[in-house]
Amino acid sequence: MGQSHMDTQKNLKKIGIIDCNNFYVSCERLFNPESIGRPTVVLSNNDGCVIARSQEAKDLGIKMGEPFFKSREFMDQHRFCVYSSNYNLYGDMSDRVMKVISEFGNDIEVYSIDEAFVDFSNIPQDELNDTLLLIKEEVKRKVGIPVSIGVGPNKTLAKLTSYLAKKSPSHNGVCSYWDIKNFRELCYNIDVDEVWGIGRKWAKKLKNIGVESVGQFINTHEYTVKKLMNINGLKTQLELRGFYCHPIQKKLKPKKNIASTRSFGKDVSGLNQLGEAMYTYIKNGVKKLSQNKLLANKATIFVTGNYHKGDKYHFSKVIKLQKPTRDADLIWSQIAQQYGKLCEKAEKYKKCGIIFNELTPDTIVQTSMFSEDVILVRVPVNQTQDWEMRQEYITQKYTTSWDEIPKVFV
Amino acid sequence: MLRHQNPIEINSTTTGFASPAETYVDKRLDLNELIVKDIYTTFYFKYSGPEVFGVKQGDTLVIDRNEEPKTGDLVVLTDKTFFKLREYEEQKNLWGKVTWILKKT
């Protein structure tokens, strides 16, 4: 490191974390007004468990990750609105939110589908709160999604500020680090694993040496922190002390792997159906390769049993592709035989998938002189599709399909 | 998505007569430029019901949430469980202003 911004520019930066409130629920509510005011949840792929909750649902005690079948009856009794996850909708809405936000800051780093770090250093300190409120209103008005904003001198403190703001609802969804009076004292009441960048593993190590709160962590000797964690742990500590170590990353890092995998709606057996499923996932994966302008050099294929039913098996195989490609039929032809062998190992499976590894940009075309022609294997025909994901409560592609735009009545 | 195709470049060094339109190569008209002011705030709805305000069953409505409606403007409102088409009166339950009505002849 040794860069000047690590040690000299204390408190000069203004870094914001913007996150969409209960994002998936907010997306559903925008197009399904019947869910406004009612407890609402969104389920994971295959309707397995709860992955987003409205405030009403949280207040009724529904937990994140709760299996749907366990709380189904309770939800019926309390007139819940339940939705399967609709990633076409969430992806598009996320893109719109990020675009509106990016107009206000210097730089934006889209951190996840519903979160972004923004460099607000361009905004004068005395205008900060008004500007943040304006951003919040603008996103709501233009795109219809409610957001919360936390701002601090760096990413770690922005995150912690945002965490504190959520704990005390008086902040109107907008909170600045510099407005929190007794910040250092508050830190002694916050569990150390609430800090951005401190995962469960590190939190456990810290607790082993008696460091339980954020306040204690801030005051731990740097040497101990570096030894116990690593340079990133040290950076986290420095950021909590007010230094700026994690710059906004404008560009997405190039993808290392692309995975296309899903659970089936029910257990699947037989090569026909398993083949169909795999071929569909290859086609999905190829689409992602194409969107990222990449070719795959290797593919990892796998099949997995139903863990919940005690079928704890997972078979996989890495296959070197003859040349970098994103041609679904060529890929299928090269994996079909090996895949067949994997599928024979057990009676039934719950999940299969393909991960493309060693990706190269499609601008670099390497033609190997010795590459043999691939013998094409007949692709599995779509007959039944009854292995498809369970998505009983999915809503429409309101913003990405002309056939599914919302209806307005008189 | 807005997608503008750039006009083909005319190369004046090729043999033959230069096209008399050479200096007049503009970008071809694109309906998106007329109708969509901001792709990030634009949404589409389909109207279903008897003809009102000149809107017929099956017409596609373009909604720009960035546009502020004035009294009498056509707007989409939320009404408990569904969306309804109305002339704008007050801020309450406003979803967005209708900026264009698209009809097929």
Side-chain angles (χ1 to χ4, degrees):
Chain A
M1 290 302 295
Q3 283 163 21
S4 60
H5 65 248
M6 280 259 310
D7 32 59
T8 56
Q9 294 194 354
K10 198 172 180 177
N11 285 354
L12 283 180
K13 288 270 182 187
K14 296 186 196 78
I15 304 297
I17 175 79
I18 301 192
D19 69 283
C20 304
N21 307 344
N22 314 327
F23 181 54
Y24 298 171
V25 168
S26 298
C27 290
E28 296 294 350
R29 282 187 166 167
L30 187 59
F31 293 99
N32 299 287
E34 81 269 6
S35 63
I36 298 168
R38 279 170 64 185
T40 305
V41 294
V42 174
L43 305 174
S44 61
N45 275 340
N46 230 1
D47 294 347
C49 47
V50 173
I51 52 165
R53 307 160 295 161
S54 72
Q55 192 56 47
E56 299 85 351
K58 290 175 189 172
D59 293 344
L60 284 166
I62 299 295
K63 296 272 175 292
M64 198 66 172
E66 195 165 301
F68 176 49
F69 73 90
K70 277 191 182 162
S71 40
R72 195 172 193 159
E73 215 168 291
F74 176 83
M75 290 184 185
D76 278 347
Q77 284 163 7
H78 288 83
R79 291 189 68 245
F80 269 62
C81 282
V82 176
Y83 300 105
S84 304
S85 35
N86 182 347
Y87 286 107
N88 289 299
L89 177 64
Y90 311 153
D92 176 58
M93 293 309 298
S94 168
D95 196 37
R96 292 171 187 252
V97 169
M98 299 306 171
K99 178 66 189 170
V100 172
I101 292 171
S102 68
E103 283 162 14
F104 289 93
N106 283 337
D107 289 324
I108 179 168
E109 174 186 342
V110 177
Y111 186 62
S112 70
I113 193 165
D114 59 353
E115 284 175 295
F117 287 110
V118 188
D119 187 340
F120 288 129
S121 307
N122 54 325
I123 302 167
Q125 192 76 31
D126 57 339
E127 291 170 22
L128 191 59
N129 284 342
D130 287 345
T131 312
L132 297 182
L133 276 174
L134 177 74
I135 296 171
K136 186 182 143 80
E137 276 158 28
E138 282 284 277
V139 177
K140 178 77 176 106
R141 188 176 64 82
K142 288 186 170 180
V143 195
I145 300 293
V147 296
S148 308
I149 313 176
V151 181
N154 56 50
K155 286 182 179 176
T156 310
L157 284 173
K159 273 275 198 184
L160 203 59
T161 301
S162 153
Y163 168 81
L164 286 171
K166 277 175 194 158
K167 290 269 150 181
S168 62
S170 61
H171 286 288
N172 214 359
V174 162
C175 188
S176 158
Y177 166 79
W178 297 280
D179 291 344
I180 304 176
K181 291 285 167 298
N182 46 348
F183 191 83
R184 276 291 171 97
E185 285 136 66
L186 282 175
C187 282
Y188 285 95
N189 299 321
I190 310 169
D191 209 281
V192 72
D193 53 19
E194 296 295 347
V195 174
W196 178 66
I198 296 189
R200 216 183 302 166
K201 214 174 77 187
W202 279 356
K204 212 177 152 193
K205 279 188 181 178
L206 287 168
K207 281 173 186 175
N208 280 342
I209 60 158
V211 177
E212 308 247 345
S213 71
V214 178
Q216 284 174 300
F217 176 64
I218 292 174
N219 290 327
T220 306
H221 198 282
E222 296 89 343
Y223 179 76
T224 314
V225 170
K226 201 180 168 190
K227 211 179 149 198
L228 206 65
M229 300 155 90
N230 57 25
I231 183 71
N232 287 320
L234 193 60
K235 280 186 188 173
T236 300
Q237 190 194 37
L238 282 170
E239 288 218 329
L240 287 169
R241 290 176 178 180
F243 293 94
Y244 176 81
C245 307
H246 293 296
I248 299 274
Q249 284 170 342
K250 275 179 279 182
K251 278 196 188 125
L252 288 176
K253 284 183 195 138
K255 288 192 177 220
K256 281 198 181 126
N257 297 302
I258 283 180
S260 174
T261 156
R262 290 271 172 85
S263 294
F264 308 132
K266 54 172 195 158
D267 289 356
V268 167
S269 55
L271 200 52
N272 262 344
Q273 289 210 327
L274 284 165
E276 253 178 55
M278 177 58 88
Y279 185 64
T280 308
Y281 298 154
I282 292 176
K283 285 210 285 196
N284 286 343
V286 160
K287 219 186 274 172
K288 288 188 210 170
L289 285 173
S290 161
Q291 282 162 0
N292 290 284
K293 299 188 167 62
L294 294 168
L295 302 173
N297 288 282
K298 273 185 185 173
T300 310
I301 50 169
F302 67 88
V303 272
T304 305
N306 193 337
Y307 265 59
H308 297 295
K309 290 187 186 162
D311 299 339
K312 295 190 178 176
Y313 40 80
H314 175 92
F315 308 119
S316 69
K317 177 94 191 158
V318 181
I319 290 159
K320 169 103 184 75
L321 300 169
Q322 281 198 6
K323 57 181 179 185
T325 182
R326 58 163 180 252
D327 180 310
D329 292 357
L330 277 183
I331 293 166
W332 168 254
S333 300
Q334 292 175 81
I335 65 135
Q337 202 189 357
Q338 300 284 353
Y339 182 59
K341 281 184 194 163
L342 294 186
C343 292
E344 279 167 11
K345 290 192 174 188
E347 196 132 307
K348 51 189 193 301
Y349 294 98
K350 179 69 179 170
K351 187 177 181 177
C352 79
I354 186 159
I355 302 163
F356 295 119
N357 322 103
E358 288 182 20
L359 309 178
T360 45
D362 58 10
T363 43
I364 309 165
V365 188
Q366 300 152 317
T367 41
S368 164
M369 281 170 68
F370 304 106
S371 85
E372 303 155 40
D373 282 333
V374 175
I375 301 155
L376 284 175
V377 176
R378 203 165 61 92
V379 300
V381 216
N382 268 339
Q383 308 155 324
T384 49
Q385 293 249 340
D386 78 343
W387 46 269
E388 273 211 328
M389 268 214 301
R390 205 181 309 137
Q391 291 187 309
E392 226 175 296
Y393 314 97
I394 193 151
T395 52
Q396 285 158 279
K397 299 176 191 165
Y398 300 111
T399 62
T400 56
S401 165
W402 284 115
D403 295 331
E404 299 180 38
I405 58 175
K407 281 211 170 87
V408 53
F409 302 92
V410 66
Chain B
M1 269 296 186
L2 272 177
R3 203 167 287 143
H4 304 301
Q5 199 111 34
N6 288 323
I8 301 161
E9 250 179 67
I10 294 173
N11 188 349
S12 53
T13 59
T14 47
T15 50
F17 292 105
S19 161
E22 188 176 342
T23 50
Y24 298 94
V25 181
D26 272 352
K27 197 152 55 67
R28 192 170 296 125
L29 291 176
D30 180 345
L31 198 58
N32 280 309
E33 297 168 340
L34 185 68
I35 290 177
V36 183
K37 229 189 229 174
D38 182 348
I39 52 169
Y40 296 100
T41 59
T42 300
F43 296 85
Y44 304 91
F45 279 70
K46 188 156 281 255
Y47 176 70
S48 181
E51 182 174 345
V52 271
F53 317 118
V55 182
K56 279 189 180 159
Q57 167 86 20
D59 287 352
T60 300
L61 307 175
V62 181
I63 279 87
D64 188 346
R65 288 183 62 107
N66 200 18
E67 295 277 306
E68 221 165 296
K70 291 187 290 289
T71 308
D73 282 347
L74 216 50
V75 290
V76 169
L77 305 178
T78 54
D79 185 354
K80 288 192 184 95
T81 61
F82 64 97
F83 297 108
K84 60 185 183 184
L85 192 61
R86 285 290 184 278
E87 280 176 336
Y88 185 67
E89 283 170 20
E90 50 168 357
Q91 191 71 33
K92 230 179 116 204
N93 297 327
L94 174 70
W95 203 94
K97 180 188 160 171
V98 178
T99 49
W100 289 84
I101 304 162
L102 308 178
K103 315 171 158 285
K104 201 165 186 301
T105 56

